[in-house]
Amino acid sequence: MILFFLNLLSLRLDYILSIIISVSFALQALAYDFQSGNLLYSIIGTDPPCVRLDGHIDGTEAQGELVIPETVTHEGVAYDVTAIRQFAFYNCKGLTSLALGQRIETIGRQCFDKCSGICGDLIIPKSVTEIEANAFYDCSGLDGSLVISENISVINTNVFRNCGFTCNLVIPERVTVIKTAALI
């Protein structure tokens, strides 16, 4: 009988934990400082002024070409777009192309995970120094070349797993570590 109650309690804790995780993702999507066009941003620095791209106003229903700008202006201040938040475009199956701004330094964990409609070349700008784990995981449909920033020294776990690139893969000489399942 005690074992039954412990199992029941364990199931309830799993359920509560999944609710907490879901709510935290929802709150994360709501936490931004301003909107420019269809994109949401958070200010992460003022000297120099820089922002993190948090996502699209349509969430996972974002459609078409996604162009991440180098700078964005808010209340008369020009901010460099230097980061993309984790899960920012997770499961956006309606995106058809992706252009990354030349000032992005960090691409967050799972930010393009399961974005299966992106076509064409994917060029990681020279400004990028870190691509976190699973950033482009399961982006099946990338049918062009993959060119990785020459400033990347580590390709993290599952970063480009299941992407199905059909053309060239350009890995810079500076890459010294390719972690588990990064490119398969």
Side-chain angles (χ1 to χ4, degrees):
M1 189 68 157
I2 292 174
L3 186 58
F4 172 76
F5 285 113
L6 288 175
N7 284 335
L8 184 60
L9 179 62
S10 173
L11 289 173
R12 294 227 183 253
L13 289 175
D14 288 344
Y15 178 72
I16 291 169
L17 183 59
S18 68
I19 289 173
I20 289 170
I21 290 171
S22 296
V23 168
S24 72
F25 281 131
L27 290 175
Q28 182 181 38
L30 296 175
Y32 63 91
D33 292 324
F34 66 92
Q35 176 182 335
S36 179
N38 292 332
L39 300 176
L40 308 171
Y41 298 92
S42 289
I43 298 169
I44 57 174
T46 56
D47 189 22
C50 56
V51 292
R52 175 188 62 227
L53 174 57
D54 289 336
H56 194 279
I57 60 169
D58 294 331
T60 60
E61 301 301 316
Q63 299 283 319
E65 181 181 40
L66 175 60
V67 177
I68 299 173
E70 292 182 23
T71 61
V72 63
T73 301
H74 175 65
E75 296 181 351
V77 178
Y79 293 91
D80 287 347
V81 180
T82 60
I84 305 172
R85 180 182 215 140
Q86 65 182 8
F87 299 102
F89 298 96
Y90 177 84
N91 205 29
C92 287
K93 297 192 183 302
L95 298 178
T96 57
S97 65
L98 174 61
L100 300 172
Q102 298 296 312
R103 295 201 170 117
I104 295 171
E105 297 169 4
T106 304
I107 299 174
R109 180 172 50 92
Q110 291 183 271
C111 67
F112 295 102
D113 187 349
K114 298 187 183 359
C115 293
S116 60
I118 301 172
C119 296
D121 295 341
L122 179 58
I123 299 171
I124 307 299
K126 292 178 182 178
S127 57
V128 175
T129 57
E130 181 178 16
I131 305 173
E132 295 180 1
N134 296 34
F136 294 92
Y137 180 78
D138 210 13
C139 286
S140 58
L142 289 168
D143 60 1
S145 298
L146 169 62
V147 179
I148 299 172
S149 165
E150 59 192 43
N151 289 320
I152 298 288
S153 60
V154 175
I155 300 177
N156 280 309
T157 305
N158 294 329
V159 167
F160 298 106
R161 185 173 184 173
N162 291 342
C163 286
F165 289 101
T166 58
C167 294
N168 297 325
L169 170 62
V170 179
I171 300 175
E173 289 180 24
R174 184 165 183 213
V175 172
T176 56
V177 177
I178 298 177
K179 293 192 176 181
T180 307
L183 299 167
I184 60 171

